[in-house]
Amino acid sequence: MARLHVRSGINPDDPDAPVVALLVDPDGPPGERAVAKLGRYGHEGDGAFFLLPTDGWAEHALDGGRLTVAVAAYPFALRQIGADPEAFPERSPAVPGAALLLRADAAVDPELYARADAATAVFTAGPGLALDDVLAGEDAWPLVLAPPPSEA
């Protein structure tokens, strides 16, 4: 199950800034595997991989103190990573032509979340690996997902 965090200490350029971070298991359920593979489709730059919002994004919804993040991608991007778009029948409410790959939610501090950037940093990690362990590793290059195209 994807794990969601909002915390500081992730962005090396601004360590005090809170970041929405998602941990996905590259050997986990189909949605997590697809999101992990999107990292190979992203564009490398500045210590991260960036997925163009024309290919996929992360949608945030805050309800009280509970944050839900949903990752969506267009069928074309899914085919590029070898994923079958038909395996993801749920559609994005922001862009109905895109498939929802996964949802993760967590209790968060709304004030901390309000200071976070609109992007989501996605890290791959097995179920037994904590976010701090991932960040301490040398391969801690996240996939950065922008908000939906209508919000960018």
Side-chain angles (χ1 to χ4, degrees), residues 74-87:
Y74 282 112
F76 175 80
L78 292 174
R79 285 190 288 276
Q80 294 300 308
I81 60 166
D84 179 6
E86 299 303 315

Side-chain angles (χ1 to χ4, degrees), residues 52-82:
L52 295 175
T54 55
D55 296 324
W57 56 86
E59 302 172 8
H60 296 185
L62 183 65
D63 184 11
R66 191 129 203 108
L67 175 65
T68 300
V69 172
V71 178
Y74 282 112
F76 175 80
L78 292 174
R79 285 190 288 276
Q80 294 300 308
I81 60 166

Side-chain angles (χ1 to χ4, degrees), residues 11-32:
N11 182 346
D13 294 332
D14 190 357
D16 294 329
V19 172
V20 176
L22 187 61
L23 292 174
V24 298
D25 183 352
D27 298 318
E32 290 188 56

Side-chain angles (χ1 to χ4, degrees), residues 1-2 24-40 71-73 78 81-90 99-103 122 124:
M1 172 179 236
V24 298
D25 183 352
D27 298 318
E32 290 188 56
R33 290 193 316 263
V35 172
K37 287 179 184 177
L38 282 173
R40 291 186 249 153
V71 178
L78 292 174
I81 60 166
D84 179 6
E86 299 303 315
F88 304 99
E90 193 173 355
L100 277 181
L101 307 179
L102 66 83
R103 275 196 183 86
V122 179
T124 57

